[in-house]
DNA sequence: CTTGTTTTATGATTTAAGTCATAAAACGCA
DNA sequence: TGCGTTTTATGACTTAAATCATAAAACAAG
């Protein structure tokens, strides 16, 4: 309903990977419900957030009685699968510059980045970009500097614009 | 309807990434339909295959008139999203041994690996494992050897069993 | 059976990203 | 207003996986 939630994992040595970030009017956590699986990740509030929790039975009832909702859910899952497919290919084969840029451009299209006179403000910390792309902070910082030098994005007092 | 299909991408320098592999009774390629997006990947027959192509309009009609099909589609997308989430976390933070093992164990659960007296036969080439995990063939070969030495899987005349 | 291709295999070398160390700037808050 | 924390930043060094080279075994096709 409001705020910002990240879905994440930690690997064996405590390194974080962010599966996705969700904002107002978005939903998360459905897939395991349909599979009777355990949640493969955690949900963490990045800022104060209000989240509506729907019991599985109510959710299933909603779907049963309301085909239009099913379609919306399908569209939503399709969107998330699309993002994951694109990022998986990026993360496994492309170099840092490509990965960071892809994430940023995806963010412009699907996260709530605001546009002002400098362009779109990329509302992620370097650490978050790293955790979303599988890179380390230092690498992200250096990569963003390189991208700025190449003129594909701007850094205006430490904030990234595209 | 039969055969084996891989969904893949090639990066800028021709390196392949396999998004997924599909067999009899499975479906693929739906997400972009719901998003009116271009296909972000290609489909390639790995062996002789027979594929049923359903026009978008027919498919949508099927969903509209048949809520039970919607639920099946949701379950299917949820399954694929689940796989991608798990593999994304693996690929970005875990080391080769972990990645390869995770893929193999997922394959046992969801691809059509057959069990015989030696255990489950992992019906992938080293190259395919590499393209699915973002590793190079040589790394996969060495990793599998290490895993064999550790006793977590068997290599019987070049075939991998788990 | 022969021949060309794919798959598995192994050793040597390179390199890009990770790691480690350190610090300044910015932010949050009591 | 001062103090602890987070974020951005940079340089030096290390390392794990990629790359390169080479080859044997297995397989496929004629």
């Amino acid at each position: 309903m409001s705020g910002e939630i990240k879905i994440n994992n930690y690997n064996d040595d405590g390194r974080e990977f962010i599966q996705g970030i969700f904002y107002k009017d978005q939903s998360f956590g459905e897939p395991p419900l349909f599979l009777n699986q355990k949640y493969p990740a955690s949900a963490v509030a990045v800022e104060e957030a209000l989240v509506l929790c729907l019991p599985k039975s109510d959710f299933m009832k909603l779907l049963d009685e309301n085909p239009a909702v099913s379609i919306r859910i399908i569209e939503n899952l399709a969107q998330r699968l699309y993002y994951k497919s694109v990022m998986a290919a990026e993360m496994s084969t492309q170099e840092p510059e490509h990965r960071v840029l892809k994430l940023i451009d995806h963010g412009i299209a699907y996260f709530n980045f605001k546009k002002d006179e400098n362009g779109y403000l990329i509302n992620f910390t370097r650490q978050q970009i790293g955790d979303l792309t599988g890179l380390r902070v230092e690498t992200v910082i250096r990569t963003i500097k390189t991208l700025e030098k190449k003129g594909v994005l701007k850094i205006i007092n430490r904030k990234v614009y595209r």
Side-chain angles (χ1 to χ4, degrees), chain A residues 6 23 27 32 52 62-63 79 115 121 159:
Chain A
K6 69 176 173 186
Y23 303 92
S27 70
L52 183 68
L62 182 71
L63 291 187
Q79 180 59 66
K115 192 174 191 174
L121 168 62
K159 296 190 191 314

Side-chain angles (χ1 to χ4, degrees), chain A residues 6 8 14-15 27 45 67-68 72 75 77 81 87 94-95 99 102-103 111 115 118 131 142 150:
Chain A
K6 69 176 173 186
N8 68 357
R15 184 169 168 195
S27 70
R72 294 277 312 271
E75 284 168 3
L77 292 179
L81 199 48
M87 284 310 292
Q94 300 287 12
E95 46 215 36
R99 279 150 84 165
K102 200 80 173 192
L103 176 75
F111 296 130
K115 192 174 191 174
N118 299 311
D131 293 342
R142 291 186 243 255
K150 290 189 177 173

